[in-house]
Amino acid sequence: MKTILITGATGTTGAATLQHLKGKGFNLRAMTRSAEKAAALEKQGVSAVVADYGDAASLSRALEGADRAFLVHTPALEIPKHEKAFIEAAKRAGVEKIVKVSVIGAGPDAPLRLARMHAEAESYLMQSGIAYTILRPHSFMQNLLGNIPTIQGQGAMYSNNGDAKIPLIDARDIGAVAAAALTEEGHDGKIYILTGPAAVTFQEAADAIGQSVGKAVQFVNVPDDAAKQGMMGAGFPEWLADDLVTLNQWGRQVGEQQPSEDVAKVLGRPGHSLEDFARDYAGAFGG
Ligand SMILES: NC(=O)c1ccc[n+]([C@@H]2O[C@H](COP(=O)([O-])OP(=O)(O)OC[C@H]3O[C@@H](n4cnc5c(N)ncnc54)[C@H](OP(=O)(O)O)[C@@H]3O)[C@@H](O)[C@H]2O)c1
């Protein structure tokens, strides 16, 4: 039986990928930096390994005997260095396939630093000789969970998105696409643009959340600088807050962004709608 290593298994897309890989006839090995989280995964019946992208020896241990891998890195300046280290360790371990989470718009000349860093890691993977599938998702619906404190406290969510219509993706669908790319034929060498099925405004997102929790939620557009300060106050590093403010400025200029069909093509069903997401996460939002 083939073995799949799932990095970032305690995070948003890694956990979703792990969920979708269960029962598909593969040995699954979840990677985390934390011995406590590894023990919790083992308790749920998932084989877990403790490793850190910054520690090459730990990566070699994690990848020993692995045939395929899901590669995700939290948004950080270490993405190129850490993902290259992972790809090198995977080559040494004889891994045959890597599915990497990147970002929509990745490219060497992209205006966002995150998109340039992902482009560098993508290019390294493409030249590694290992079979690959690259997933370039749009903004996750799960980012809306960051608004829980103001939704619960003030019945409001704040950002600088204005009236932009954005095809947010439910990260559960990223996990489903990743699981398909890791276990089915026909995905090697592909780059998938992953969006939700429809472009929505943040007021529509607030309405859907309000509907699911049974109280009105307002979207409040704020100036770019206030949005940046808010993100930094929530713990985002300045470079990432700058990236996200730039992304939202661009979104306002474009107005309506078109959804991609890649999720439906890979899964044979449309991705989750914002209403599905709001209903399924109603408990988290306070419903
Ligand atoms: N959020 C969005 O809207 C969006 C949109 C497009 C693309 N993306 C891309 O998606 C990626 C983030 O995905 P995500 O939200 O699934 O990730 P995440 O939840 O932020 O993090 C994934 C996991 O990475 C692990 N990790 C962190 N540092 C590590 C290290 N040094 N070594 C090993 N593991 C480490 C952590 O697990 P442990 O603590 O258990 O070790 C964490 O749970 C980013 O690359 C971002 O650019 C995000």
Side-chain angles (χ1 to χ4, degrees):
M1 200 187 280
K2 300 258 187 194
T3 296
I4 303 178
L5 177 73
I6 300 105
T7 69
T10 63
T12 307
T13 58
T17 301
L18 185 58
Q19 229 22 63
H20 282 279
L21 283 171
K22 284 182 182 168
K24 285 195 187 277
F26 289 79
N27 285 323
L28 306 179
R29 188 186 296 163
M31 181 174 125
T32 167
R33 288 165 301 172
S34 148
E36 290 76 33
K37 289 182 193 170
L41 283 161
E42 298 265 0
K43 253 193 182 168
Q44 295 162 33
V46 178
S47 162
V49 60
V50 176
D52 189 314
Y53 290 126
D55 173 356
S58 75
L59 290 180
S60 295
R61 283 195 299 276
L63 282 159
E64 201 181 326
D67 301 288
R68 302 175 190 180
F70 171 77
L71 172 58
V72 65
H73 198 296
T74 206
L77 295 176
E78 292 79 13
I79 285 177
K81 182 172 139 211
H82 280 174
E83 293 199 354
K84 283 178 193 176
F86 183 86
I87 293 160
E88 279 311 307
K91 249 203 276 191
R92 288 194 300 274
V95 167
E96 63 195 26
K97 164 105 197 220
I98 291 179
V99 174
K100 168 182 158 46
V101 176
S102 178
V103 67
I104 195 164
D109 304 319
L112 304 190
R113 191 165 184 181
L114 193 63
R116 293 195 298 274
M117 291 194 294
H118 273 303
E120 190 178 333
E122 281 186 3
S123 149
Y124 201 79
L125 175 57
M126 288 173 183
Q127 287 160 28
S128 67
I130 300 175
Y132 64 86
T133 305
I134 288 167
L135 310 182
R136 290 186 181 166
H138 210 312
S139 301
F140 303 175
M141 292 180 189
Q142 278 73 4
N143 296 346
L144 295 167
L145 296 166
N147 296 297
I148 288 173
T150 59
I151 288 173
Q152 291 184 349
Q154 303 157 34
M157 45 189 250
Y158 301 84
S159 83
N160 63 329
N161 291 88
D163 296 326
K165 283 180 89 86
I166 308 166
L168 301 173
I169 178 156
D170 190 322
R172 294 175 296 180
D173 293 324
I174 303 174
V177 170
L182 284 161
T183 59
E184 296 170 4
E185 299 289 315
H187 302 293
D188 287 4
K190 299 274 174 67
I191 297 178
Y192 292 128
I193 311 296
L194 304 182
T195 73
V200 291
T201 64
F202 266 55
Q203 184 56 58
E204 286 167 340
D207 290 342
I209 294 166
Q211 194 86 38
S212 75
V213 299
K215 73 169 192 185
V217 178
Q218 283 304 313
F219 165 64
V220 182
N221 190 55
V222 298
D224 292 342
D225 194 51
K228 176 177 169 176
Q229 295 310 322
M231 285 187 251
M232 287 173 64
F236 286 50
E238 186 166 11
W239 69 268
L240 185 56
D242 280 333
D243 260 13
L244 295 171
V245 165
T246 306
L247 178 68
N248 293 346
Q249 284 171 338
W250 176 81
R252 295 195 313 259
Q253 277 162 22
V254 171
E256 180 164 356
Q257 299 171 46
Q258 290 309 309
S260 152
E261 291 179 358
D262 285 352
V263 169
K265 276 189 192 150
V266 173
L267 300 181
R269 61 154 175 90
H272 287 100
S273 67
L274 186 69
E275 288 70 27
D276 294 335
F277 166 80
R279 185 195 58 234
D280 294 347
Y281 285 78
F285 283 112

CSV table of all heavy atoms in Angstrom, one decimal, residues 113-133:
chain,number,residue,atom,x,y,z
A,113,ARG,N,4.1,39.8,-2.5
A,113,ARG,CA,5.3,39.0,-2.1
A,113,ARG,C,5.0,37.5,-1.9
A,113,ARG,O,5.8,36.7,-2.3
A,113,ARG,CB,5.8,39.6,-0.8
A,113,ARG,CG,7.1,39.1,-0.4
A,113,ARG,CD,7.7,40.0,0.7
A,113,ARG,NE,9.1,39.6,1.0
A,113,ARG,CZ,9.8,40.1,1.9
A,113,ARG,NH1,9.4,41.1,2.6
A,113,ARG,NH2,11.0,39.7,2.2
A,114,LEU,N,3.8,37.2,-1.4
A,114,LEU,CA,3.4,35.8,-1.2
A,114,LEU,C,3.4,35.1,-2.5
A,114,LEU,O,3.8,34.0,-2.6
A,114,LEU,CB,2.0,35.8,-0.5
A,114,LEU,CG,1.6,34.5,0.1
A,114,LEU,CD1,2.5,34.0,1.2
A,114,LEU,CD2,0.1,34.6,0.6
A,115,ALA,N,2.8,35.8,-3.5
A,115,ALA,CA,2.7,35.2,-4.9
A,115,ALA,C,4.1,35.0,-5.5
A,115,ALA,O,4.3,34.0,-6.2
A,115,ALA,CB,1.8,36.0,-5.7
A,116,ARG,N,5.0,35.9,-5.2
A,116,ARG,CA,6.4,35.7,-5.8
A,116,ARG,C,7.1,34.5,-5.1
A,116,ARG,O,7.8,33.7,-5.7
A,116,ARG,CB,7.2,37.0,-5.6
A,116,ARG,CG,6.6,38.1,-6.5
A,116,ARG,CD,7.6,39.3,-6.6
A,116,ARG,NE,8.0,39.9,-5.4
A,116,ARG,CZ,7.3,40.9,-4.8
A,116,ARG,NH1,6.2,41.4,-5.4
A,116,ARG,NH2,7.7,41.4,-3.6
A,117,MET,N,6.9,34.4,-3.8
A,117,MET,CA,7.6,33.4,-3.0
A,117,MET,C,7.0,32.0,-3.5
A,117,MET,O,7.8,31.0,-3.6
A,117,MET,CB,7.3,33.5,-1.5
A,117,MET,CG,8.1,34.7,-0.9
A,117,MET,SD,8.1,34.7,0.9
A,117,MET,CE,6.4,34.9,1.3
A,118,HIS,N,5.7,31.9,-3.7
A,118,HIS,CA,5.1,30.7,-4.1
A,118,HIS,C,5.6,30.3,-5.5
A,118,HIS,O,5.9,29.1,-5.8
A,118,HIS,CB,3.6,30.7,-4.1
A,118,HIS,CG,3.0,30.4,-2.7
A,118,HIS,ND1,3.2,29.1,-2.1
A,118,HIS,CD2,2.2,31.0,-1.9
A,118,HIS,CE1,2.6,29.1,-1.0
A,118,HIS,NE2,1.9,30.2,-0.8
A,119,ALA,N,5.8,31.3,-6.4
A,119,ALA,CA,6.3,31.1,-7.7
A,119,ALA,C,7.7,30.5,-7.7
A,119,ALA,O,8.0,29.5,-8.4
A,119,ALA,CB,6.3,32.4,-8.5
A,120,GLU,N,8.5,30.9,-6.7
A,120,GLU,CA,9.8,30.4,-6.6
A,120,GLU,C,9.8,28.9,-6.2
A,120,GLU,O,10.5,28.1,-6.7
A,120,GLU,CB,10.6,31.3,-5.6
A,120,GLU,CG,12.1,31.0,-5.5
A,120,GLU,CD,12.8,31.9,-4.5
A,120,GLU,OE1,12.3,33.0,-4.2
A,120,GLU,OE2,13.8,31.4,-4.0
A,121,ALA,N,8.9,28.6,-5.2
A,121,ALA,CA,8.8,27.2,-4.8
A,121,ALA,C,8.2,26.4,-5.8
A,121,ALA,O,8.6,25.2,-6.0
A,121,ALA,CB,8.0,27.2,-3.5
A,122,GLU,N,7.2,26.9,-6.6
A,122,GLU,CA,6.6,26.1,-7.7
A,122,GLU,C,7.6,25.7,-8.7
A,122,GLU,O,7.7,24.6,-9.2
A,122,GLU,CB,5.5,27.0,-8.4
A,122,GLU,CG,4.2,27.2,-7.7
A,122,GLU,CD,3.2,27.9,-8.6
A,122,GLU,OE1,3.6,28.2,-9.8
A,122,GLU,OE2,2.1,28.2,-8.2
A,123,SER,N,8.5,26.7,-9.1
A,123,SER,CA,9.4,26.5,-10.1
A,123,SER,C,10.5,25.5,-9.7
A,123,SER,O,10.9,24.6,-10.5
A,123,SER,CB,10.0,27.9,-10.5
A,123,SER,OG,11.3,27.8,-10.9
A,124,TYR,N,10.8,25.5,-8.4
A,124,TYR,CA,11.7,24.5,-7.9
A,124,TYR,C,11.1,23.1,-7.9
A,124,TYR,O,11.8,22.1,-8.3
A,124,TYR,CB,12.1,24.8,-6.4
A,124,TYR,CG,13.4,24.2,-5.9
A,124,TYR,CD1,14.6,24.8,-6.3
A,124,TYR,CD2,13.3,23.1,-5.1
A,124,TYR,CE1,15.8,24.2,-5.8
A,124,TYR,CE2,14.5,22.5,-4.7
A,124,TYR,CZ,15.7,23.1,-5.0
A,124,TYR,OH,16.9,22.5,-4.6
A,125,LEU,N,9.9,23.0,-7.6
A,125,LEU,CA,9.2,21.7,-7.7
A,125,LEU,C,9.1,21.2,-9.1
A,125,LEU,O,9.4,20.1,-9.4
A,125,LEU,CB,7.8,21.9,-7.0
A,125,LEU,CG,6.9,20.6,-7.1
A,125,LEU,CD1,7.5,19.4,-6.5
A,125,LEU,CD2,5.5,20.9,-6.5
A,126,MET,N,8.7,22.1,-10.0
A,126,MET,CA,8.6,21.7,-11.4
A,126,MET,C,9.9,21.2,-12.0
A,126,MET,O,9.9,20.4,-12.9
A,126,MET,CB,8.1,22.9,-12.3
A,126,MET,CG,6.7,23.3,-12.0
A,126,MET,SD,6.4,24.9,-12.9
A,126,MET,CE,4.7,25.2,-12.4
A,127,GLN,N,11.0,21.7,-11.5
A,127,GLN,CA,12.3,21.3,-12.0
A,127,GLN,C,12.9,20.2,-11.2
A,127,GLN,O,14.1,19.7,-11.5
A,127,GLN,CB,13.3,22.5,-12.1
A,127,GLN,CG,12.9,23.5,-13.2
A,127,GLN,CD,13.5,24.8,-12.9
A,127,GLN,OE1,14.6,25.0,-12.3
A,127,GLN,NE2,12.9,25.9,-13.4
A,128,SER,N,12.2,19.6,-10.2
A,128,SER,CA,12.8,18.7,-9.3
A,128,SER,C,12.9,17.2,-9.9
A,128,SER,O,13.6,16.4,-9.4
A,128,SER,CB,12.0,18.6,-8.0
A,128,SER,OG,10.7,18.1,-8.3
A,129,GLY,N,12.1,17.0,-11.0
A,129,GLY,CA,12.0,15.6,-11.5
A,129,GLY,C,10.9,14.8,-10.8
A,129,GLY,O,10.6,13.7,-11.2
A,130,ILE,N,10.3,15.4,-9.7
A,130,ILE,CA,9.2,14.7,-9.0
A,130,ILE,C,7.9,15.1,-9.7
A,130,ILE,O,7.7,16.3,-10.1
A,130,ILE,CB,9.2,15.1,-7.5
A,130,ILE,CG1,10.5,14.7,-6.8
A,130,ILE,CG2,8.0,14.5,-6.8
A,130,ILE,CD1,10.6,15.2,-5.4
A,131,ALA,N,7.0,14.2,-9.9
A,131,ALA,CA,5.7,14.5,-10.5
A,131,ALA,C,5.0,15.5,-9.6
A,131,ALA,O,5.2,15.4,-8.3
A,131,ALA,CB,4.9,13.3,-10.7
A,132,TYR,N,4.2,16.4,-10.1
A,132,TYR,CA,3.6,17.4,-9.3
A,132,TYR,C,2.2,17.8,-9.8
A,132,TYR,O,1.9,17.6,-10.9
A,132,TYR,CB,4.5,18.7,-9.2
A,132,TYR,CG,4.6,19.4,-10.5
A,132,TYR,CD1,3.6,20.3,-11.0
A,132,TYR,CD2,5.6,19.1,-11.4
A,132,TYR,CE1,3.7,20.9,-12.2
A,132,TYR,CE2,5.7,19.7,-12.7
A,132,TYR,CZ,4.8,20.6,-13.1
A,132,TYR,OH,4.8,21.2,-14.3
A,133,THR,N,1.4,18.3,-8.8
A,133,THR,CA,0.2,19.1,-9.1
A,133,THR,C,0.3,20.3,-8.3
A,133,THR,O,0.6,20.2,-7.1
A,133,THR,CB,-1.1,18.3,-8.8
A,133,THR,OG1,-1.1,17.0,-9.5
A,133,THR,CG2,-2.3,19.1,-9.3
